[in-house]
Amino acid sequence: MARGVTKRAILDRPAIAWAIAALWLAYLVAIPIGYMTVDSLTDDGLTLAAYVDFFEDPKLRTAMRNSLTVAAGVAVLSVLVGAPLAFGVARTQMRGRSLVSAAMIVCLVSPDFLLAMAYIALAGPNAGYFNQALRAVFELKTESGPLNIFTLWGLVLTALPHGVSYFFLALVPALRNVDPALEEASRVQGAGPIETIRDVTLPLMRPALLSGALLAFSGSLAMYGPPHMLRLNVLTISIRESLVRLDFKAASAASMVLILMSLAALVLYRHSTRQAERFRTVGGKSFSERAGAEGRIAAAFTVLGIVYVLAVLVVPYGGMTVISLMKSVGMGFSAGNWSFDNYRAVLGDPAVRKAATLSVSLAAATATLVTVMGFVVAYVVIRLKLRGRWLLDYMSIIPLAVPGTALAIALAVVYLNPPLNALGLYGGFGILFVAYLTRFITFGVRTSQSSLIQLSPEFEEASRVGGASGLKTVALITLPMMRQALVYAWLLVFVLALPELSASIILKGIHTQTLSTVLLDIWNGNGGLAQACAFGMTMFASVGLLLLIAAAIAKRASGGLRIGT
Amino acid sequence: MDKKARVRLLAIAFVGALVAQAPAFAQQRLTIYSAYENSQIAPLTKAFEAKNPGVAVDHFRQPGEELLATIELELRARSPKADVVGLNDASIAYLQRRHDAFEPYAAKDVDKARVEMRSLQNVFTPAFVNLYLIHYNTRKISEADVPKSWAELADPKWKNQIAMADPSSSQSVQSFVWFIADHLGKSDPAKFGWDYFKRMGANGVHLESSHGTIRDLTVSGERPIGINLLANAQTAKNRGEPTSNIWPREGVPGELSAFGLLRASKNKELGKMWLDFVISPEGQGLMPASLGGAPVRNDVAYKYPDGSSLDQVKIIPVDSAFISENKRTQARKFHDAVGK
């Protein structure tokens, strides 16, 4: 540090903020992805052999096709299911709007593999309770079906609530923030409701629509738990199998293919929404208090909302609760087959308590650093007019296109080989922390970016004109105005990190089992279905409770946190 | 809450997150990696801890093939964390061949184990015999109707009713694959060999990552027939589940489950105490109720979960050396045949 340079002066230098952001992203994103890219392309010299092997392997080709089919199916169905629900909540007087919004948050928070467990118990072809009921009600002359959860469609169904939640949560605020004058002008000019939606509302919604669909698509590409439980051949499973065979070349190539598939969707999204200025709501004015449609339209949306909540929450988690209380799953609903033993076994298990401590710690630490550094990166990208900020922008969004399984392979490759193996991170807390930071950094950056875009720079410019330094302006003007967004980012990352599975399953060590890996282990025979359901319900209830506490804290801190409602 | 309090809270949460990860302090802790369920190994570890006050056992469980990968990665990272590893003898031989991972140790009383169960170089200490059998749900399938042979499982009558382990994750199923494809494949190629797995694939066999999950699917009735290990049939019986088992008439592959002391262990004396305990009369007596297998000592009384005695079951010892050397090829052939 040069003599005589004050702390304020250093912090006022945009280049230093740029350098901090660049180093942060380089360490978390560029090094692992770059290392894995090189690893997949080299073997005693430059070669495409790993990719040739990948595309020559029929099992891997099937896995790729299955991954794409499921992701596309989830994205399309998320739009078809999520759009009417979002419209109903944002623009009608349907009953149960808060219930639907809460259900979306709960679905997002609860791990997808819990739903997979529940749907297997309900829609397993031979013994699924829902199938048994259907066979009895319709007097079907078969011992199997009619539903079969162990199919690609079953996987789509299992992943759908997550996709719908992403889509819904992206769309509702956008629907509310559209200036009603624009739609009213269209109606005054003689356009009908359909034309108005098509020509005015939908174009304004494009970033939110694409953002929601992209998240549903990439989230489905990245999922590990449900295909593992349903025993379906998708790329994340193939990657893990390659690692189990210690075939790092195959794992790297498969990971790169998966990343490229996700990146393609991301590029498409960026291309469609590159003119961010068009979506700015100057001064943060809200239009949420407009009167919504009533009568039959609202009633129809009410029915849709109730059916959705029943299908994704009440029935599956109700079913899991019932199973969790069974002494023996094989004895079914017989008298005397009920107890809390499974809960006692789970709660009394030191391994579960240790995993809970680790998961909460990891999630809290990740949420904190991701929120802080997310703001720094976003500020550099949006506010500081420096060369190369587009690079930071792209680097910060890349993790969204990197499924946890692929990221874990990249980190394993990096930290098992010189020079970074000297850090001794592999198999410990450190490598999980790095993985979590990388996985969720996009959420921190994007949340801050969205908030900064909507926050008119005139406020900060006025502060600077008034003589305040850049740091003081950030501290006194920018951060307070972004408080709600930052609290939201922390909460979002915390609740998403808590049940993280796809990276943890590969990077866990004996002392670093997380809640999700322990649950998957119990499902995989280390306790059985009833115990897994008891654990799942405990996890579900704990996460829900944490969410309520966090939301209450956020409400006090920011004067009210609104997510969807 | 004011600003200072919030900042403090965040700082405490962050520091707490890091500090909480420090391993619990204990003077003597033995770390065991195995493919056995926590509930299965618990009676054994508790008895060991009771016999050795001041010693605590940490157990880490994964399906066999996944555990092999974990151990290999730890060895590669030069940070093996286990003291003792519990796997079948083929997997232990595999690790020994590739990494010279185990330190030979002749446990006390190892000479009481049946000769064919012992390791020539004392690389492992034999623990129990695990056998393959047909496990079925008695509420879904009657005893009269249940298949009595391995060959019958390929009958379309059992379409979408059977589950078995996937060699991508499970080590033990390699024994079954060898038994069907190689052992029976030579003696009765019309019914067995790789074509048997083709027929099983066409019959919708469900592949699972571990035998414990297969047991649970059998118990729930989702897959009322499981190609499973004796240990899981015993566990189901211990839990009072509505299941029973069949010893197929072609015979059953028998694999040896064992424990080995890692050369890199930092607690070798504790590891040796564990190996001594495993082969002791007390440890062997606990095998059926814990790990669920048949003892390796002749002087310990034993009956199978269905009441059969040892001499009533035709056991075919598996070719561990062949499995150890060919497991990748065997897994690929299996997946090609099953079509999954």
Side-chain angles (χ1 to χ4, degrees):
Chain A
M1 189 185 302
R3 200 175 164 184
V5 178
T6 65
K7 186 180 171 188
R8 177 197 280 188
I10 288 171
L11 290 169
D12 267 357
R13 288 181 181 176
I16 292 179
W18 189 96
I20 291 170
L23 282 173
W24 171 254
L25 291 172
Y27 177 68
L28 290 180
V29 183
I31 289 177
I33 304 302
Y35 202 112
M36 186 170 69
T37 308
V38 172
D39 189 59
S40 70
L41 289 168
T42 51
D43 190 10
D44 292 334
L46 203 62
T47 174
L48 287 171
Y51 292 92
V52 172
D53 290 347
F54 176 91
F55 286 105
E56 282 183 348
D57 187 330
K59 194 179 174 192
L60 288 171
R61 283 203 308 270
T62 304
M64 186 175 72
R65 197 167 54 244
N66 288 348
S67 288
L68 273 175
T69 304
V70 170
V74 171
V76 170
L77 285 175
S78 295
V79 174
L80 294 178
V81 176
L85 286 169
F87 188 83
V89 167
R91 293 294 188 84
T92 76
Q93 294 298 313
M94 68 179 275
R95 287 170 185 265
R97 280 174 290 166
S98 299
L99 178 71
V100 172
S101 298
M104 294 295 172
I105 304 285
V106 171
C107 282
L108 191 67
V109 169
S110 44
D112 49 11
F113 51 83
L114 290 188
L115 210 56
M117 278 168 52
Y119 283 162
I120 287 171
L122 291 170
N126 293 326
Y129 296 125
F130 194 56
N131 271 324
Q132 290 186 49
L134 285 175
R135 291 199 292 264
V137 169
F138 295 103
E139 297 178 348
L140 301 176
K141 305 290 181 205
T142 173
E143 290 297 309
S144 188
L147 304 176
N148 185 359
I149 196 71
F150 296 104
T151 59
L152 286 185
W153 276 111
L155 185 54
V156 170
L157 185 72
T158 303
L160 191 58
H162 253 77
V164 170
S165 289
Y166 279 129
F167 189 79
F168 177 94
L169 293 173
L171 199 59
V172 166
L175 276 167
R176 285 204 171 116
N177 285 334
V178 169
D179 188 342
L182 297 171
E183 292 166 328
E184 284 158 16
S186 167
R187 299 298 297 273
V188 168
Q189 293 295 315
I194 304 292
E195 285 84 3
T196 301
I197 289 174
R198 188 191 62 205
D199 298 335
V200 178
T201 315
L202 280 181
L204 286 168
M205 294 294 98
R206 197 172 64 185
L209 286 166
L210 283 170
S211 164
L214 165 76
L215 283 170
F217 181 86
S218 55
S220 306
L221 273 184
M223 69 181 160
Y224 179 85
H228 174 92
M229 287 174 165
L230 296 173
R231 306 300 300 165
L232 292 169
N233 180 23
V234 295
L235 272 179
T236 49
I237 301 296
S238 297
I239 290 169
R240 174 113 200 279
E241 286 179 359
S242 298
L243 184 70
V244 169
R245 293 195 308 271
L246 298 181
D247 188 346
F248 280 93
K249 292 288 174 199
S252 295
S255 298
M256 289 306 298
V257 170
L258 189 58
I259 290 171
L260 288 173
M261 283 158 59
S262 207
L263 263 180
L266 194 64
V267 169
L268 182 70
Y269 164 73
R270 296 285 287 175
H271 179 73
S272 304
T273 61
R274 62 186 183 278
Q275 291 171 288
E277 300 291 322
R278 289 169 53 195
F279 309 108
R280 178 183 296 166
T281 53
V282 180
K285 186 180 173 186
S286 170
F287 304 104
S288 59
E289 301 308 324
R290 77 188 77 198
E294 297 176 22
R296 284 184 183 175
I297 294 175
F301 281 112
T302 303
V303 171
L304 181 67
I306 290 171
V307 169
Y308 184 76
V309 172
L310 281 174
V312 302
L313 278 183
V314 179
V315 173
Y317 290 103
M320 269 177 70
T321 305
V322 171
I323 295 168
S324 72
L325 295 170
M326 289 179 175
K327 283 181 190 168
S328 154
V329 176
M331 300 307 287
F333 296 96
S334 55
N337 191 32
W338 308 97
S339 85
F340 287 99
D341 286 353
N342 295 313
Y343 286 92
R344 274 190 279 273
V346 166
L347 297 174
D349 187 342
V352 171
R353 289 202 293 269
K354 192 174 172 185
T357 308
L358 178 83
S359 287
V360 171
S361 309
L362 262 174
T366 302
T368 305
L369 253 184
V370 159
T371 304
V372 171
M373 290 308 296
F375 169 76
V376 173
V377 174
Y379 194 83
V380 169
V381 170
I382 301 294
R383 289 289 194 260
L384 303 183
K385 308 295 181 192
L386 292 173
R387 272 188 187 177
R389 64 199 171 109
W390 62 270
L391 183 64
L392 299 187
D393 193 24
Y394 267 96
M395 276 168 68
S396 72
I397 206 169
I398 282 174
L400 199 62
V402 182
T405 318
L407 173 67
I409 295 294
L411 292 174
V413 169
V414 169
Y415 290 100
L416 278 169
N417 291 296
L420 290 181
N421 63 344
L423 295 176
L425 291 186
Y426 189 83
F429 178 84
I431 199 164
L432 280 174
F433 191 33
V434 171
Y436 279 38
L437 288 174
T438 311
R439 276 216 69 189
F440 299 111
I441 191 167
T442 309
F443 293 95
V445 175
R446 300 307 286 177
T447 307
S448 285
Q449 275 189 357
S450 300
S451 182
L452 279 169
I453 286 172
Q454 293 199 338
L455 184 66
S456 180
E458 282 87 1
F459 295 113
E460 293 154 77
E461 284 162 12
S463 167
R464 297 303 300 266
V465 168
S469 68
L471 182 64
K472 197 170 184 178
T473 299
V474 166
L476 297 180
I477 303 292
T478 317
L479 283 175
M481 293 188 76
M482 289 180 62
R483 189 169 57 184
Q484 192 169 337
L486 295 176
V487 171
Y488 172 74
W490 194 95
L491 284 175
L492 182 66
V493 173
F494 181 80
V495 296
L496 291 176
L498 196 65
E500 204 288 333
L501 174 68
S502 54
S504 310
I505 191 73
I506 287 175
L507 298 173
K508 69 179 179 181
I510 178 171
H511 295 300
T512 52
Q513 292 267 25
T514 66
L515 280 171
S516 299
T517 61
V518 169
L519 175 54
L520 199 66
D521 193 38
I522 290 176
W523 167 266
N524 278 339
N526 200 8
L529 176 62
Q531 262 189 37
C533 285
F535 190 0
M537 287 313 299
T538 307
M539 201 168 160
F540 180 73
S542 306
V543 168
L545 188 66
L546 280 170
L547 186 71
L548 281 177
I549 294 169
I553 293 171
K555 195 174 180 182
R556 286 184 60 184
S558 63
L561 178 76
R562 300 187 61 145
I563 307 171
T565 55
Chain B
M1 195 185 295
D2 62 15
K3 263 187 186 174
K4 272 189 179 174
R6 281 203 298 277
V7 170
R8 274 186 206 142
L9 196 67
L10 273 178
I12 289 168
F14 189 70
V15 173
L18 301 175
V19 172
Q21 304 319 313
F25 176 78
Q27 278 192 318
Q28 287 197 298
R29 299 194 81 86
L30 175 70
T31 300
I32 300 176
Y33 281 12
S34 89
Y36 315 126
E37 295 174 28
N38 289 340
S39 62
Q40 289 176 333
I41 204 170
L44 213 56
T45 55
K46 280 179 185 163
F48 177 72
E49 286 169 346
K51 195 174 178 181
N52 300 283
V55 175
V57 176
D58 290 324
H59 176 240
F60 176 76
R61 178 259 182 188
Q62 272 187 305
E65 280 301 308
E66 295 176 19
L67 183 61
L68 274 181
T70 298
I71 295 168
E72 288 205 72
L73 286 173
E74 286 187 2
L75 288 168
R76 192 182 283 195
R78 294 177 187 171
S79 62
K81 295 180 174 65
D83 299 307
V84 169
V85 170
L87 287 166
N88 65 20
D89 61 336
S91 294
I92 289 178
Y94 174 82
L95 281 174
Q96 185 69 351
R97 198 178 66 247
R98 283 175 66 102
H99 299 280
D100 191 25
F102 296 99
E103 178 161 310
Y105 173 67
K108 289 172 194 166
D109 273 4
V110 76
D111 56 327
K112 301 287 194 306
R114 291 194 283 280
V115 175
E116 67 274 20
M117 307 282 174
R118 297 179 208 161
S119 162
L120 288 177
Q121 284 84 33
N122 288 314
V123 171
F124 60 76
T125 300
F128 66 97
V129 182
N130 220 350
L131 308 175
Y132 265 93
L133 44 72
I134 295 175
H135 192 217
Y136 69 100
N137 185 312
T138 51
R139 291 176 63 149
K140 297 278 183 183
I141 301 170
S142 68
E143 193 179 345
D145 205 24
V146 71
K148 307 293 190 303
S149 70
W150 298 116
E152 284 177 60
L153 294 180
D155 188 327
K157 176 183 178 183
W158 303 112
K159 191 172 178 67
N160 296 328
Q161 304 289 306
I162 303 167
M164 69 176 289
D166 186 340
S168 297
S169 305
S170 164
Q171 50 152 0
S172 293
V173 78
Q174 289 278 356
S175 300
F176 183 72
V177 171
W178 167 84
F179 176 70
I180 295 289
D182 300 282
H183 178 73
L184 291 179
K186 280 177 191 156
S187 59
D188 192 351
K191 286 184 183 167
F192 296 100
W194 292 109
D195 279 349
Y196 176 85
F197 290 118
K198 273 188 189 168
R199 291 194 291 276
M200 290 294 280
N203 225 12
V205 68
H206 181 79
L207 301 183
E208 267 299 341
S209 59
S210 83
H211 289 86
T213 322
I214 296 168
R215 176 201 62 218
D216 295 338
L217 288 174
T218 302
V219 163
S220 73
E222 184 51 53
R223 290 281 162 161
I225 298 174
I227 297 172
N228 215 325
L229 288 162
L230 168 64
N232 287 301
Q234 183 71 59
T235 302
K237 182 183 169 64
N238 295 346
R239 291 179 183 171
E241 302 287 7
T243 61
S244 187
N245 65 273
I246 291 290
W247 299 108
R249 61 176 73 99
E250 298 96 336
V252 296
E255 67 170 30
L256 180 63
S257 291
F259 288 93
L261 177 66
L262 273 185
R263 200 179 286 284
S265 163
K266 295 180 181 69
N267 300 294
K268 282 186 180 157
E269 287 313 306
L270 284 185
K272 289 173 182 174
M273 284 160 62
W274 171 262
L275 298 181
D276 292 342
F277 177 72
V278 162
I279 196 70
S280 70
E282 185 186 355
Q284 286 291 293
L286 283 169
M287 286 300 162
S290 57
L291 298 179
V296 294
R297 290 173 66 131
N298 280 327
D299 56 354
V300 176
Y302 176 70
K303 290 253 183 204
Y304 291 114
D306 64 344
S308 315
S309 58
L310 283 168
D311 57 346
Q312 289 176 292
V313 178
K314 180 182 169 188
I315 301 172
I316 312 294
V318 300
D319 187 343
S320 298
F322 175 87
I323 292 169
S324 168
E325 283 167 20
N326 298 284
K327 62 180 189 164
R328 301 277 187 248
T329 315
Q330 293 282 94
R332 196 177 313 120
K333 284 181 178 176
F334 172 84
H335 285 124
D336 288 345
V338 172
K340 291 185 181 178

